[in-house]
Amino acid sequence: MNWRIRLTWWDKLLLVVMAIGAVFAFVRFATGIATVANINNAYPWGWWVSYGIMTLIALGGVGFTMTGLVEILGVHRYHPFVRPAVLMGLLCYSSMVTVLMVELGRPWMVWMIMISWAPTAALFEVGWCAFLYLTVLALEFSQVPLEKAGWGRALSIVRAIYIPIMILGVTLSHLHQSSLGTLMTLIPHKINVLWWSDRLPLLFLFSAVMAGPAMAILEHLAAARWLDFAPRMDLLAGLARIEAWLVGLFLAFQMGDLVYRGATDAMFSESWFAVSFWVEIGFGLILPLALLVMPEVRASRSGLATACSLIVAGVLLLRLNVVVIGLRVRHWETYFPSIGEVAITLGITAVAIFVFGWFARILPIHEELPLPEPSPRPAVQAARAFRGAEGVS
Amino acid sequence: MTNHWVDMLNADVVLIMGGNPAEDHPISMNWLTRTKERGAYILHVDPRFNRTSSIADVFAKLRSGTDIAFVGGMINYAIEHNRIQQEYVREYTNASWIVGDGYNFADGLFAGYDPKKRSYDRNQWAYALDAQGQPRRDPTLKHPRCVFQLLKQHFSRYDADAVCSITGTPKENYLRVCDLYTSTFAPDRAGTWLYAMGTAQHSHGTQNIRSYAILQLLLGNIGVAGGGVNAMRGEGNVQGSTDQGLNNDGLPGYLQMPIEVDVDLKSYLKRVTPVAANPASANWLQNTPKYMVSLLKAWWGEHATAGNDFAFAYLSKRGNGFQGQGYAYLALMHAMLAGEIKGLFCFGQNPAVGGANARLIRAALEKLDWMVVADLFEHETASFWKRPGTDPARIATEVFVLPAASGVEKEGSIVNSGRWAQWRYRAVKPIAECRPDLEIVNRLAKAVKRAYEKDGIFPEPIRHLDWDYGDEADPHRVAREMNGRYLVDVSDKDGNSFAAGKQVSGFAQLRDDGTTMSGNWIYCGGYTEEGNLAARRDATDAPNGIGLYPKWAWVWPMNRRILYNRASVNRKGEPFNPNKWVIRWNAEKKIWEGDVPDGAMPPGQMNPFIMLASGVGQLYCPDLADGPFPEHYEPVESPVRNLLSKTQSSPCAQIWQSSEFDRYGRPDAFPIVGTTYRVSEHWQTGAMSRNMPLLVGLVPNAFVEIGTALAKREGIKNGDRVIVSSARGAIEVYALVTERFQPFYVDGRLIDEIGIPWHWGYAGIVPGDIANDLTASVGDPNSLIPETKAFLCTIRRKEGA
Amino acid sequence: MTTTTVIPKAMIQDNTRCIGCRACMVACKSWNERPADHTEFFAGAGYQNPRDLDSNNYTLITFNEITTGAKPDWVFGRQLCMHCEQPACASACPTTALTKTELGPVVFDASRCIGCRSCMQACPFLIPKYDYENLAPKIHKCTFCADRLEVGLEPACAKVCPTGAITFGDRDDMVAEAKRRIAEAPGTYIPEIYGLEEVGGTSVLHLSSVPFEQIGYITGLPKTPMPNLTYRWLRMTPGVFGILYAVFAALNWIVRRRMRHQKGEGEHR
């Protein structure tokens, strides 16, 4: 199997971002968190936790969402989305673990979770669950390289256990996606009323489910562009319609929960909390919903890309609001992500994107999709390579 | 203190004035908290609402320097409302004594004032004597010239309106203080009066304290449980240091320093030994000869004999001092500045920061040939020659710094404000070459003695000094000497005999014939044949249960815990307050029970104030330099005219004007009243505390506290850098703007007051400007203590800060 | 076999007796060997330093200048770990590095800490602090001098407090004493014991003469213990796992069966 690819400008850009992130990460380990990050005693969790851990896990939920949609709900026509989704999940979770290594004060002790018993700690549950789920994802995805490499024996073992571990994966995902919400139920007096809820576990789970199809759509559009094949707009339109329902239901759920809790006044208060809330709801839910209900949008690549990007942004914003922005602190305390924090997470994300792009060019991730027309020039055909750099869209 | 710290528990009302115990004696707050729990009222009178005020029941604000107006008004209030403990005042004070015709008072001046000398001829204030030469009396207190009537007349001008327009106290608060405090006139109620430097450091500081004494006497609060005039001493062992006669005008045990006219022991003793005013006065100090001779025997041992006047000639005699102004602090510094002092031993003191008019002092230090500093750190005085803005090359002073051991690194006793001498053991060995002061002095004395063995002018006083405290000075030997012992076998009139070398058991055993010695008569009884009583730690209270703890440590004199306690009983020996009795006469056994009685004689005609020649409490005191009654005067630097009389400030205050540093400001240039005070976290000049990182972390920088109104007018915000200046200097500090410091409504306008903690100097972990650069060389006429608590200044925001 | 019952301890912080001298802060830093602070001027009304608890200051006296009517007043408050009966921090810690001991203190075992800082998020009183500048950072908070308590001594702060503002003893006695003080001097205290019922009760009971929010305390806290909030969800984990797995397995079985039929049918097409 040929592992090599030709690096495009996008690859090179990603490598640069990775390098910058690596430098900051090195400084973090050499001189301590305080040198690179702005997190402090009032805001112990900042960009790293809200994006690098919570959002990456939520976005990694594309794995279980698409798998569940196809294998458990039986909507087979979306089968082509499963493999990319599983790879994205694997990469998101791996990135999350990498961020964790940077984020934790004592990452070399992380194994301590594995030998502890802390049933009241949501992070204990998340830790175990995510660890198991990462294993599941790796096993699920291993089919692809094993198939490509032709290791039939190993492949058959994996295939034999595929059903139980797939179901396990979907189950585990439900558990830990909601536990991330459970984690934040611990501090009702510290989170602004706009976001704290008894139903935070369900909200987080639902949000992760909503992120799934959006991520799948975005991935498909990006892959079509870079791998040079025609996107399956019919499938995308169908997914988009499902997504519209999910966004609508989520919006109703979130708003309903707010009303139920009597927090409607807070929505219209004159505060930065209210502003952030409306940004989250407006750009993350209302706007994309308005877009997705329109068939023209569902049929348009740019429309879909916009709507789904907004949804992903909304998923991030929800977690940012719950974990950081909505936090009640003393009036002199502030936090804004530092360049180092952002650089490190961007670097790690760049790794994920790079690896995805790399695997997409050397492994049969999108095999079920129509491949591009073979070129009429046989000379070029022999050296089969990624064509994006030649400017072919 | 006449009483002691634990005795606060017995008070019904506590008045704190000129002091801030929560800040500066935090351990004492234990007693004040507990007495408040028992229902006592805490009244706090202060220019500013501070940490003590936060636990007080009533806070009454007072413009610095107007204490006498305030208390004079309380005296007036007590008399007007007849809140006088009648029997007490009649029997135990000089209220009934009739004053001679020479005394009068007008326009703020007493009779006998000489404006050129700025002093009084006190003979004018003498009592009217009868045929036997004793003061005439009117027990009905109605004679127009009796002390009580003169007192009443004198303070009749101090009505509440007049007082409040001087002090700036809101009248309602003022009357509440008067009402609450004077309620202690009842025999079953006691009021205790706590004060500190805020009272003493004024040009009328002594008279401030006199006013407290007068009020307490009128209310019958002296000698009783929960009463007293109680000074909260400003240093850990300053009580001990004054007891040992370290002041320039005293010998150990508060014996008077001989002066030039005392040509021999006989004439000295004649001058200083008081004569009883009348047969009812025990006049304990008539025993002065015994104490003086015993002291001389302690110092010169076998070289002090009846034949050589007990070596009285060896003792230095005090002259008139620099410019005839004596030898107290201000005079010393001026003498130093004039180049008259060649060398200085500076032990445990930091005058460059702590003395009034500190710029003068630092300039004076430059004139010394040599200086020996003994301290824990190289503080501002030790490093004056390299202070900021000084070129060490032009200073010729040779400075020696001897490292001293701290309080926990040496053994010995410390005497607290309540006269409790508590022995302490050494907890840790001194680090490096640090030595206890005792050891430093021991070696110094021995070295001086060795030098004088060879030659010297008038070497006998040094050569013959009986100095033997061990190779390494043993504090026990010193303590034993202070107590004193028999030098030969003696027997007393009761037939008891005592062998030579045995410790005396009390000063009643000291003799004036050279057969006894004692280094300090008031410490007689502290280290006897029973042992070191100051080391006792038995926490059993006496049967009367008022917190005397007679077996905890040792109290001078004679373990008497409440002074003048005979005033707590009537002439029959029955306590005025049987619920909190201090002493009582057991008629069957014919003994006193309770505290050590102040005078062991049975109850009867002998008067309780046995240390005074008169035997009675002095409402009228003709012995002080500036008047028999306290009178309100403005501080020497004041923003307003004296509303009470034409005499603006104390007519006898010592006002230095001889040097370029002695400048005084007028209200048009310096309209703000300035004062100084402390914070809990720092100690004195910060020589120790500003070298402690944990303390510096709490209070790092020098600051001035100013009120919000003044801040707004000057455009100063909390945390701004400001310049505070007086006629003598300017300092730059942080401004702390607070509601707790409000201006005073005086003479129809608002007067601002600001305050600066004086803990900072140029040495230490965090330096800061020196507050005492602003204060003046003005001294109280009696104690000569500087008036650092009231001066004039102004403030402005620092540009570009 | 004999069993010794360990009697839990508690502390009363009586702010009406506090004179703000901060001997407690100095004793605490001394005992816990914390370095001195480098401060400038003050960080609060009056002489407060530092502004907040941090990794070097496990207790803090707050200076509060309050004006009641026209009267100025200076009231001191104290911040320190409340050593809750059911601590949120211990419940949130995924490695059980924080535990509530029988004697009362909530102690921190650095050897188990991964540095996730959940405890910092969880604590309703905002107590645990982190030394981010350290290469091996730790959680810092008041230890209730657990080591001193083990040998029968009282906490360092209680020992040095000159006015008796800090009283230490058996929890039941302390609760009774706090109630007694309020009952006997109603004019001095507001009728509230901070820490008695907050978040299910704590080991530090505060008394005050003014409302607690005026002197820097966090108020409006629920009375329910914090761990309940997460535990009521988390304890469903095994059950939910079982149910979900079963449901998904069932659905998947149905889906695969339908697929096999479709394939079968498809082959005939």
Side-chain angles (χ1 to χ4, degrees), chain C residues 131-205:
Chain C
D131 47 356
Y132 292 101
E133 62 278 359
N134 207 322
L135 286 182
K138 279 200 315 219
I139 284 295
H140 291 268
K141 73 172 190 72
C142 159
T143 61
F144 214 114
C145 285
D147 47 353
R148 289 173 63 94
L149 265 58
E150 292 274 308
V151 294
L153 296 174
E154 55 183 336
C157 56
K159 180 149 178 72
V160 298
C161 176
T163 59
I166 305 177
T167 319
F168 170 79
D170 298 342
R171 188 169 192 275
D172 289 338
D173 292 341
M174 293 296 100
V175 173
E177 170 66 12
K179 290 181 175 162
R180 183 196 70 81
R181 287 187 199 178
I182 295 179
E184 289 188 10
T188 309
Y189 298 95
I190 58 166
E192 190 189 328
I193 302 175
Y194 184 91
L196 182 62
E197 291 179 329
E198 274 78 358
V199 298
T202 72
S203 303
V204 184
L205 311 167

Side-chain angles (χ1 to χ4, degrees), chain B residues 321-388:
Chain B
F322 182 70
Q323 293 183 359
Q325 295 299 317
Y327 290 88
Y329 208 81
L330 295 172
L332 274 185
M333 295 302 151
H334 281 79
M336 210 186 294
L337 185 68
E340 289 196 11
I341 298 184
K342 303 297 174 199
L344 173 70
F345 282 95
C346 185
F347 277 39
Q349 203 186 81
N350 192 3
V353 176
N357 207 344
R359 289 182 61 238
L360 182 156
I361 296 176
R362 296 197 293 279
L365 291 172
E366 293 183 5
K367 299 284 174 48
L368 292 169
D369 286 356
W370 55 266
M371 176 169 68
V372 178
V373 171
D375 216 301
L376 274 63
F377 291 93
E378 191 187 22
H379 50 49
E380 287 76 7
T381 302
S383 59
F384 82 91
W385 51 274
K386 50 180 178 175
R387 66 190 189 277

